[in-house]
Amino acid sequence: MPNAPHPDDPDRMFAAVFKEALRRRGLPLDRVRDHLESYGITLSLATLSYWQSGRSLPEKPQSLRAVDVLEPFLDLPSGTLRSLLRRRPRGWVPQHDPAAVRGVYGEGSDLEKVLGDAFPHFNAGLRRLVVHEAVSVNEHRLIDAMRVTVAVRAVRDDVRHLTVVHTLDSAKTDAHAVDLTVPHGPRPHVRVRPELNCVVAELPLGRRLARNETAVVEYTLRSPSTAGVSHHHERRVTTSLQTYLLQVRFHPSAVPATCWHSYRRQLGAEPRNRQLAPLDDFHTTHLLSVKCAPGVYGVEWRWTD
């Protein structure tokens, strides 16, 4: 029998009560969606599924109105679901959930393969707050360098490092030529997995963090590719970010014909949102996104030939 959710875990308490009410009434999620639409409230089946699984909670005004409409429909006393949302403390962040990571990467992803037994605990003690990436595309139309700055917050005591995993841009990259460096402190432990086309590094935080303390991590990844051309760069976001900033700078002799911003819910899915991204006079484009939901954010480009 599964353990009951802890009363201080808003995700699990809300999800457990919502799921049990659906089960008791024998209501599939499409019936719930249709009932809400009769009140002029439009929510996707995915959103309702996330509430039921604990992956997300109602926050926006329309979602909170939906909760009020659902309580009598589910034969729940008025305020039952709302009271669980009010228990959510200021600054609360969801607990680490491997299922949420799989929601972005998919099942059996290279991330799971490269991390192995460590996957269920992947950065479980940290939450990324802000990510800034500056990507350089060289004269051969290849991404050859990426500078990354990440602001993180500890969600438990005694957090010592941030683990980063990057997919290399070309399967032809020489594993011995991959170079990941930090501007300060000792050289990080770096593993290159050429069979998975991935690089993994554990980056020290400079000191052990106590719960709610923050740190800034900086590093540069250089991976000179030997074949092919680059067509995009993307960031996989598995928990909500406050801000994601991506800059892509092209060499003056390798300027693409068109660039786009893109967003996908999961790797391999079709973009849900695609917008033109103009280049400036320095052959640079950028994507700035705030309050980022989980998904895949990036810049794509098309060459002239």
Side-chain angles (χ1 to χ4, degrees):
M1 180 176 178
N3 293 329
H6 192 281
D8 291 330
D9 186 341
D11 250 0
R12 301 305 176 193
M13 284 298 295
F14 180 91
V17 174
F18 183 43
K19 185 175 183 178
E20 173 60 20
L22 291 171
R23 186 201 63 77
R24 189 176 61 251
R25 291 271 282 119
L27 291 171
L29 291 180
D30 56 353
R31 283 276 309 280
V32 175
R33 178 196 59 191
D34 294 345
H35 180 74
L36 291 173
E37 286 183 349
S38 71
Y39 282 80
I41 302 171
T42 301
L43 293 178
S44 68
L45 288 176
T47 295
L48 295 170
S49 177
Y50 291 165
W51 292 0
Q52 182 182 230
S53 67
R55 182 171 170 181
S56 67
L57 288 175
E59 292 182 326
K60 296 180 180 179
Q62 179 175 248
S63 296
L64 294 175
R65 181 171 168 244
V67 170
D68 294 337
V69 168
L70 286 176
E71 286 177 340
F73 185 59
L74 297 174
D75 289 337
L76 293 172
S78 177
T80 299
L81 294 175
R82 275 278 198 161
S83 67
L84 297 174
L85 295 175
R86 284 198 294 268
R87 294 174 66 89
R88 184 172 181 166
R90 178 180 293 274
W92 174 86
V93 293
Q95 295 299 308
H96 172 69
D97 183 4
V101 180
R102 292 189 181 102
V104 174
Y105 281 83
E107 296 286 342
S109 66
D110 287 346
L111 180 70
E112 285 197 60
K113 294 174 184 175
V114 77
L115 292 175
D117 293 342
F119 173 75
H121 315 290
F122 178 49
N123 289 326
L126 291 170
R127 289 291 175 269
R128 289 175 172 86
L129 304 176
V130 177
V131 176
H132 176 201
E133 295 183 302
V135 173
S136 298
V137 180
N138 64 21
E139 64 272 27
H140 304 296
R141 301 183 176 183
L142 292 164
I143 293 175
D144 62 356
M146 175 174 53
R147 297 185 305 278
V148 184
T149 302
V150 186
V152 297
R153 183 188 303 278
V155 297
R156 58 172 172 78
D157 292 331
D158 197 29
V159 183
R160 308 182 190 187
H161 67 267
L162 170 72
T163 300
V164 298
V165 180
H166 288 280
T167 300
L168 302 176
D169 196 54
S170 170
K172 300 286 187 169
T173 298
D174 181 357
H176 298 290
V178 174
D179 186 33
L180 192 150
T181 59
V182 294
H184 311 288
R187 186 176 182 84
H189 176 62
V190 179
R191 292 184 293 124
V192 180
R193 296 286 301 274
E195 75 281 9
L196 297 174
N197 205 32
C198 291
V199 58
V200 187
E202 293 185 358
L203 307 177
L205 297 177
R207 65 184 179 88
R208 298 182 182 184
L209 297 185
R211 188 173 182 270
N212 289 327
E213 288 189 323
T214 57
V216 176
V217 179
E218 302 172 85
Y219 62 96
T220 299
L221 175 64
R222 295 181 177 87
S223 54
S225 299
T226 59
V229 295
S230 301
H231 295 280
H232 71 281
H233 178 80
E234 59 189 16
R235 159 70 57 165
R236 295 87 185 262
V237 175
T238 56
T239 56
S240 299
L241 280 179
Q242 291 181 6
T243 306
Y244 174 53
L245 171 61
L246 167 61
Q247 295 172 282
V248 183
R249 176 163 292 172
F250 298 90
H251 191 278
S253 64
V255 178
T258 313
C259 295
W260 300 271
H261 300 154
S262 65
Y263 169 76
R264 295 177 285 160
R265 278 198 182 274
Q266 187 181 64
L267 286 175
E270 289 297 316
R272 298 188 61 193
N273 188 17
R274 206 163 179 255
Q275 298 178 337
L276 285 174
L279 289 169
D280 62 21
D281 293 341
F282 306 114
H283 316 301
T284 300
T285 188
H286 74 276
L287 164 66
L288 176 61
S289 184
V290 297
K291 296 182 179 179
C292 305
V296 183
Y297 297 78
V299 171
E300 306 171 11
W301 55 88
R302 185 180 69 232
W303 299 106
T304 53
D305 51 29

